[in-house]
Amino acid sequence: TCSEIILRQEVLKDGFHRDLLIKVKFGGSIEDLQTCRLLIKQYIPTGLFVDPYELASLRERNITEAVMVSENFNIEAPNYLSKESEVLIYARQDSQCIDCFQAFLPVHYRYHRPHSKDGETFIVLNNPDLLMYCDQGKDCKSFWRVEN
């Protein structure tokens, strides 16, 4: 088990087209993270969407390793006609930090219902599930879920 897992999500850029940067730092209880793979299951709320065609293009260029889990979803539907979706992302080890992984995911805002007053709409992005597998020459599998 890990003594500490720090999860940080940053939304980069402004406007309707943004990038989600997910950073995960593990405590010192895992001896060799070089043998580990971290899979992030990110839940995308109805106010956002991920374009599966954009993900395919980014995978081809080796920019991200992400795939849509949800099927039959309409990227053009407004938030009130949408469903939550899920994306699986393999995080890469951070070259700046020995105990860290990071993942990049482009996200886009959906249209919302018009308001009679000017105002802001808040979208809550819940913590993802973290699944890690380490191959250290023995059958060692560890799974974590970051609680919301």
Side-chain angles (χ1 to χ4, degrees):
T1 60
C2 282
S3 56
E4 180 179 42
I5 299 173
I6 299 170
L7 171 72
R8 184 173 173 190
Q9 297 183 68
E10 297 177 43
V11 178
L12 309 174
K13 300 194 296 193
D14 293 322
F16 276 83
H17 309 284
R18 303 199 179 193
D19 293 326
L20 175 62
L21 181 61
I22 304 166
K23 296 181 178 185
V24 182
K25 180 172 176 39
F26 290 91
S29 63
I30 298 177
E31 292 178 16
D32 186 11
L33 282 174
Q34 299 294 337
T35 67
C36 299
R37 293 280 289 174
L38 178 64
L39 180 67
I40 299 171
K41 185 177 183 181
Q42 181 68 57
Y43 300 92
I44 308 299
T46 60
L48 298 174
F49 74 91
V50 174
D51 184 342
Y53 303 107
E54 182 179 18
L55 287 185
S57 174
L58 293 172
R59 278 194 314 273
E60 286 176 6
R61 296 185 312 208
N62 200 29
I63 294 173
T64 191
E65 292 182 71
V67 264
M68 294 294 301
V69 175
S70 303
E71 296 180 6
N72 302 325
F73 96 15
N74 183 351
I75 63 173
E76 297 189 18
N79 80 312
Y80 51 91
L81 296 176
S82 301
K83 297 177 184 173
E84 182 179 81
S85 58
E86 299 172 6
V87 179
L88 294 175
I89 315 157
Y90 271 111
R92 297 181 177 172
Q93 288 191 314
D94 188 342
S95 60
Q96 307 293 318
C97 172
I98 294 172
D99 300 330
C100 303
F101 287 82
Q102 65 180 10
F104 157 83
L105 183 69
V107 294
H108 307 277
Y109 279 88
R110 290 189 183 272
Y111 289 106
H112 291 73
R113 290 190 191 273
H115 293 278
S116 58
K117 300 179 183 177
D118 288 342
E120 296 180 358
T121 300
F122 294 97
I123 299 171
V124 176
L125 193 62
N126 290 325
N127 288 332
D129 290 341
L130 302 178
L131 301 144
M132 178 173 265
Y133 170 77
C134 297
D135 183 10
Q136 299 174 337
K138 55 187 174 185
D139 191 20
C140 173
K141 297 178 185 176
S142 300
F143 297 93
W144 293 279
R145 175 174 164 80
V146 176
E147 296 295 327
N148 293 326

